[in-house]
Amino acid sequence: MPEDPIAQSEISALTRRFEQAQEKTDREFGIVKSDLTALRLQVGNLDQKVSNLDSKVDGLADEMRGLSEKFGDLSEKVDRNQAQIVELLTRLVGKSPDAS
């Protein structure tokens, strides 16, 4: 029994469409895969930058704590000096400027 030329033609057309769709899918998959690889690289770079920022922030926090301690000590000295000045001025109130 001879093969049906219409059926063979339809099978060939369907086969071509399937192969074209498969090629398109393969290209699109390749593009997505390439984009995903690029994205992974960018995420890795961002992760490294964030890690560097973490260490810089930690360093700045340590510096701020050090400055806070220094200014705390300075503030205590200023407070003591002010207290001494107030005490001396209090002693001088009511005394004659000519008295030693």
Side-chain angles (χ1 to χ4, degrees):
M1 183 184 233
E3 293 186 19
D4 183 3
I6 296 174
Q8 287 298 321
S9 175
E10 287 181 18
I11 289 174
S12 293
L14 287 173
T15 302
R16 277 193 307 277
R17 279 193 227 153
F18 174 80
E19 289 171 350
Q20 288 172 345
Q22 186 65 37
E23 288 174 9
K24 182 180 177 185
T25 302
D26 289 346
R27 279 193 309 272
E28 289 173 350
F29 179 76
I31 292 168
V32 169
K33 189 175 176 182
S34 174
D35 289 349
L36 182 59
T37 300
L39 183 61
R40 284 181 178 156
L41 289 173
Q42 289 176 350
V43 167
N45 289 339
L46 286 174
D47 186 47
Q48 186 177 15
K49 289 179 182 180
V50 167
S51 294
N52 291 341
L53 281 176
D54 280 347
S55 64
K56 287 181 181 180
V57 167
D58 290 342
L60 286 173
D62 290 341
E63 287 181 33
M64 290 301 292
R65 279 190 283 281
L67 287 174
S68 178
E69 289 173 7
K70 287 180 183 178
F71 281 119
D73 294 343
L74 182 61
S75 177
E76 289 174 17
K77 288 178 184 178
V78 168
D79 289 345
R80 281 195 305 268
N81 288 340
Q82 285 178 342
Q84 288 174 345
I85 291 169
V86 168
E87 183 181 334
L88 291 172
L89 288 173
T90 303
R91 288 184 195 167
L92 290 174
V93 170
K95 288 193 175 182
S96 170
D98 295 331
S100 334

